[in-house]
Each structure stands twice: as C-alpha cells, then as structure tokens.
Amino acid sequence: MKRSTQTASESARSAFEARRERLLQDFHAARERGLTPRLHKRTSNLFRIRPPADRAARLDVTDFRHVIAIDPERRVAEVEGMTTYEDLVEAALPYGLMPAVVPQLKTITVGGAVTGGGIESSSFRYGFVHETVEALEILDGRGETVHAQPDNEHRALFYGFANSYGTLGYALRVWIQLIPVRPYVQVIHTHHSDPDEYFNNMAETCRAARHHERPTAFIDGAVFDETNLYQTEGSFVDEAESVSRYTFMDIYYRSIRRKEQDTLTTRDYLWRWDTDWFWCSRAYGMEIPALRFLAGALGLLNSATYWKLRDWNERGRILERLGLLRDVEWVIQDVEIPVTHAPTFLAFLHREIGIRPIWICPAQAARTDTVYPLYRTDPDTLYINFGFWGGKKTDQPDGYHNRLIEERVAELEGKKSLYSTSFFTEEDFWARYNRPAHDALKTQYDPENTFPDLYTKCVGTPG
Ligand SMILES: Cc1cc2nc3c(=O)[nH]c(=O)nc-3n(C[C@H](O)[C@H](O)[C@H](O)COP(=O)(O)OP(=O)(O)OC[C@H]3O[C@@H](n4cnc5c(N)ncnc54)[C@H](O)[C@@H]3O)c2cc1C
C-alpha cells in the first residue's frame, strides 16, 4: 500500500515536471514575441476587475491543479500551485488530516491563498495561510523556477511572497502543513450584546485555546447588528447523534442565531460558508425557497456560481445599465485590526458603512520569529479579521467609503487585504506595504518588470 502510494507520487511528480517544462516554454515564447505573460486560470475570487494588460499572453496554468503527495508522517502536502482547497481537503481527509488553515471558499487555490493572505477559523492558532507553508517553487519574472524555503538562499523570496499577488512570480508547487482531524466538529454559538465584552471574550477564548486549556480547534463569529454579536467555537469530536447539513435548503449563517449548539461533519464544517458565500447569495435570490430549491437541485449553490454571476454582471455592467445600481459604491473588503482596537473599528463600520452581517475571524502568528515583509503584522498581537461585503447607497464619489476604511484601518494599526478594490494614493500605499522590500525582491527576481509592481496591480491599472 505504502509502495503504491509512493509510485503514485512519483508519477504525479513526473507529470508536474512535464507541465512545468511546457509552461516555461510558453513563458519564454511569449517574451520573445514581446508579449507580457499573465496568469490564466479557470476560477478566481478576486474582486478588482481590470481591463487586460496591453500585449498580454495568457499563461495557461489550469493544469497545475494536482495534489502530488501527502506525507502523513511529516504531515505535509506537496501540491501544485493552482490546486483548489476543495481538492486538497478531499486528498487529505482520508489520511485523517486537513490543511492547517482552509480558506472558506472551495475554489480558492493554494497559490492564491498563500500570496493573498488566506485566513480561517483555525488562524487564531496557525496564523495566515502563508505561515503554514514549508517551501515554494516559484516561476519568477526572469522565467526561472526557484525553490524558496526559510533556510536557503531564496529565503527573502519565501517570506516576501506573502501578499505579493503574483507580482514576483507564480507559485507552481507548494509544500504545506497538515493537521490531524476527527470526524465531526461540534460548534457552540455564544450571543453577546456588548462589543467590548465580545472582543475581550474572544481574546480570552483564543488565549486559552492556544494554551490548550480548552479543546477548541476553530473560532470565528458574526455580527448581525449593534447588539447581536456571536462567537462560534468549534471542537473536534469522534461521535455525533445527529449532524446538520448546510448544503441545500438550510442556511448556515441563519443557524447561528437559531441554535446554541450544533454538529457538522468535518468536511461540512470546512465548507459551511461556501454554500451561501457567507450570506452574499441572498443578493441572487437564494433565500427565496423555490429559487433555492431549483439552484440546489442543479448543483449551483456554491461560491463559484455566485462569483461567475457577479463577474458576468460586472463586465457587462448589466445592473448598472438597467438603472438598478445607481448611487451604489461596492464595499467588498477584509481587514485585520488589533483586538484592542476592534470595538472602535466595529463602531466605525456600523456608523459609516452599515453593511451587515460582518464576518469576524481572529488570527495570530503561530511563531514570533518570522517576518513577512509585504504583510507585516505584530506576532504578539491578536488580530481580528472583519469581512464585510455589499453595496453602500451613497451620493459621494465612487471610492469615498473604501478610502474612509483604508484611513481608519491605518489609524488603528490594521492591515487591509488587496484582493478587492483599493483607492490608496501611491505614497500611502507604499508607506503601508514596504516599498524597499518589494523593490529589492523585484530587482532580484523580476528585474525587467515582466509582472506589474504591487501598487500597479492592486490599485492602479491592468494586471
Ligand atoms: C467574499 C469574499 C470572501 C473572502 N473570504 C476569504 C476568507 O474568508 N478567507 C480567505 O482566506 N480569503 C478570502 N477571500 C479572498 C481570497 O482568499 C483571495 O482573493 C485569494 O487570493 C483568492 O485566491 P484564488 O486562488 O481564487 O486566486 P485568484 O482570485 O485567481 O487570484 C488572486 C490573486 O493572486 C494571484 N495568484 C493566484 N494564484 C497565484 C499563484 N499560484 N502564485 C502567485 N500568485 C497567484 C493572482 O495573480 C491574483 O492577483 C475572500 C474573497 C471574497 C471575494
């Protein structure tokens, strides 16, 4: 059995090497024709739509989606960069393992999450996805593949890759940490009405769980309004009398207010937010029972469907043309705020933005001796991720509220993810995202600027 697993891994590795060879040829062929190689993959979770770059060549990486090997002893998975978390989870669960941090949307890929600050309810213990990576194989801007790990000559690239969003290169292969699981996750939803008490309690739950004073494996939460704040604590269990499923007519986020306690299979727990894209599926009528039934029967209740609908609408500006989106600013953001400032930031969100519910997820570095220069956080600080996604009715110019959020996040010593729209001035951006470190890595790994710089890609024009 062990031998056949080894043979399967060896043949998956050879197939990877052949794909890599072909990709390198495509990369250099594009460069010789004076074209700029740009990532081409089937799915995305990006929320900043840009016109394609001038003279771009699509670098087809759709095939880089295989789990090459699972090492149950070392608890490490070796995967291709565009492997979705759905596929990685499916490969790891039979070994009684899961990735240490599993972002909630099934089509998020390992490479996307490593470079884009992935986070989930186990992040209070393991930190961001990039902190769970052991090594990376990267196709850099020179068209070379580089093996980067914490203790080799490419360590600066290893650490600098987090929050680089493909501006230094693309992860083709990733070695990522796995953790043991049990069959079920029992969740306890605790109601709070006072934000100070809510965040104090969350900080204490995280501290106790990190010190193994309680069996908690997962912590996140949802804020429905000023006085309805919920913390959800999940623990692995071996047995369950009954389990809930939130993959069809039942809606997970609604269950938080309805049930104090619940049990899901571990797989269903990991994808609890995917069926309804947290709560954003309601914008597509998925809380109307007949429509939901139909979509469910057709296998369409998932974040990939909603993202495609949204992308299609955005590119065609359909709702706008129908006059349905007049005076609306899209605010689709995830930000990290130190827990001591979390009540202040929440009050700001209620007052100035008003998009609800809000997803809450605590995160803290697992190790204090590592620095990710393009996404520097204080390893001794517990951060609270606030996820808020929706349209804001306004008579202000586009970007007004997003800019307000960027300023408030900076004042409160927080960090903003770059997967969505940003409105920073170039000066403000580089003050927050470490230009010297970025430029030094660019000089070494992409001296001819094959890929755009981080500001141009995430705030400015094409990428
Ligand atoms: C509503 C919503 C909720 C979200 N919630 C969460 C959440 O809870 N937890 C979480 O972790 N994330 C969340 N995200 C963000 C998501 O993790 C990031 O957008 C992530 O980067 C998407 O990864 P992807 O694989 O879909 O990459 P894509 O969307 O295809 O690409 C994202 C960026 O990463 C770059 N990229 C992609 N693959 C690679 C690679 N292999 N190497 C280098 N660069 C690459 C692309 O060039 C692009 O700039 C959320 C997004 C949305 C829209």
Side-chain angles (χ1 to χ4, degrees):
M1 172 67 186
K2 201 168 177 189
R3 194 171 168 76
S4 70
T5 309
Q6 264 171 5
T7 314
S9 301
E10 276 157 25
S11 103
R13 216 165 274 130
S14 306
F16 163 76
E17 282 158 10
R19 273 191 284 280
R20 183 181 58 190
E21 188 54 38
R22 199 208 58 231
L23 190 73
L24 286 173
Q25 284 169 8
D26 291 350
F27 183 98
H28 290 291
R31 299 283 285 149
E32 274 159 29
R33 283 163 52 217
L35 302 176
T36 310
R38 289 287 179 266
L39 203 63
H40 170 62
K41 54 201 279 283
R42 272 202 205 107
T43 56
S44 173
N45 292 280
L46 265 189
F47 263 71
R48 44 182 160 80
I49 288 182
R50 302 270 193 278
D54 286 343
R55 299 193 53 71
R58 291 179 356 154
L59 202 59
D60 190 344
V61 291
T62 45
D63 272 357
F64 286 80
R65 57 187 167 78
H66 301 88
V67 176
I68 297 170
I70 302 272
D71 183 337
E73 268 111 60
R74 286 188 57 238
R75 292 186 186 151
V76 173
E78 176 185 348
V79 299
E80 294 180 345
M82 318 305 156
T83 306
T84 62
Y85 269 91
E86 183 177 25
D87 289 344
L88 178 52
V89 165
E90 280 313 304
L93 283 181
Y95 292 89
L97 298 168
M98 65 174 250
V101 179
V102 179
Q104 304 87 340
L105 311 179
K106 288 179 176 177
T107 60
I108 291 180
T109 61
V110 175
V114 173
T115 200
I119 189 174
E120 226 288 289
S121 58
S122 56
S123 289
F124 76 91
R125 192 191 301 284
Y126 299 103
F128 295 92
V129 166
H130 54 251
E131 296 176 65
T132 69
V133 171
E134 303 221 327
L136 293 163
E137 183 172 316
I138 296 166
L139 168 63
D140 71 11
R142 301 166 303 177
E144 291 178 20
T145 50
V146 172
H147 182 94
Q149 59 184 52
D151 56 358
N152 74 359
E153 71 274 28
H154 299 296
R155 80 178 64 83
L157 180 60
F158 176 83
Y159 289 114
F161 197 73
N163 207 43
S164 68
Y165 283 94
T167 58
L168 301 173
Y170 299 132
L172 300 185
R173 185 160 41 158
V174 181
W175 287 260
I176 196 154
Q177 187 189 349
L178 303 172
I179 56 169
V181 298
R182 285 152 67 187
Y184 304 100
V185 176
Q186 188 178 69
V187 294
I188 296 170
H189 308 298
T190 315
H191 177 261
H192 293 265
S193 50
D194 174 63
D196 287 311
E197 182 206 288
Y198 174 70
F199 288 114
N200 282 338
N201 182 71
M202 189 169 275
E204 172 50 23
T205 311
C206 293
R207 189 206 60 75
R210 275 169 72 100
H211 288 87
H212 303 286
E213 291 166 18
R214 50 206 297 160
T216 314
F218 306 102
I219 302 170
D220 70 347
V223 172
F224 291 91
D225 55 43
E226 280 84 346
T227 54
N228 284 296
L229 305 89
Y230 287 81
Q231 172 177 289
T232 298
E233 214 179 327
S235 306
F236 284 119
V237 289
D238 287 322
E239 284 169 16
E241 272 176 24
S242 64
V243 289
S244 299
R245 296 214 71 193
Y246 299 100
T247 51
F248 192 25
M249 295 308 282
D250 272 356
I251 299 177
Y252 176 70
Y253 86 89
R254 288 194 171 183
S255 75
I256 295 174
R257 303 183 78 163
R258 225 179 46 234
K259 301 180 175 182
E260 281 181 14
Q261 194 171 311
D262 204 355
T263 307
L264 290 80
T265 66
T266 296
R267 180 185 287 103
D268 281 352
Y269 174 81
L270 295 177
W271 305 129
R272 70 204 180 284
W273 294 116
D274 190 80
T275 315
D276 284 284
W277 214 14
F278 291 85
W279 30 76
C280 301
S281 70
R282 65 188 174 181
Y284 300 104
M286 289 304 113
E287 294 191 18
I288 301 166
L291 270 183
R292 188 177 179 85
F293 183 83
L294 190 63
L298 294 171
L300 296 176
L301 289 175
N302 55 63
S303 63
T305 306
Y306 314 131
W307 192 89
K308 276 184 208 139
L309 282 173
R310 192 241 171 218
D311 190 56
W312 173 70
N313 170 57
E314 189 78 4
R315 288 181 195 279
R317 304 226 155 261
I318 294 156
L319 293 180
E320 220 170 283
R321 286 188 205 170
L322 291 172
L324 297 174
L325 276 190
R326 214 158 278 146
D327 305 327
V328 170
E329 177 181 344
W330 286 111
V331 180
I332 313 282
Q333 301 295 351
D334 274 73
V335 303
E336 272 90 40
I337 304 290
V339 69
T340 45
H341 296 317
T344 309
F345 187 74
L346 182 61
F348 157 81
L349 278 186
H350 285 318
R351 197 176 56 245
E352 301 289 345
I353 310 297
I355 290 171
R356 294 162 183 163
I358 300 163
W359 183 56
I360 299 292
C361 182
Q364 185 165 359
R367 294 174 52 167
T368 53
D369 59 346
T370 46
V371 177
Y372 295 85
L374 302 191
Y375 207 71
R376 277 178 303 190
T377 50
D378 175 2
D380 294 320
T381 296
L382 175 71
Y383 288 83
I384 301 293
N385 182 97
F386 290 79
F388 39 99
W389 315 291
K392 163 91 184 151
K393 268 270 176 207
T394 179
D395 51 12
Q396 298 288 350
D398 192 36
Y400 173 85
H401 292 91
N402 280 287
R403 190 72 190 111
L404 215 56
I405 292 162
E406 287 167 2
E407 284 164 5
R408 203 71 187 114
V409 168
E411 282 162 17
L412 297 176
E413 296 162 355
K415 286 277 168 206
K416 175 180 184 292
S417 306
L418 297 175
Y419 72 81
S420 184
T421 47
S422 292
F423 292 83
F424 298 107
T425 63
E426 189 163 1
E427 195 185 351
D428 277 355
F429 180 83
W430 285 120
R432 291 160 179 58
Y433 295 96
N434 199 348
R435 176 161 220 164
H438 173 270
D439 287 358
L441 287 164
K442 270 291 209 198
T443 305
Q444 189 173 354
Y445 294 100
D446 186 20
E448 291 177 25
N449 291 317
T450 300
F451 305 124
D453 68 56
L454 193 61
Y455 174 78
T456 307
K457 183 159 190 178
C458 298
V459 188
T461 40

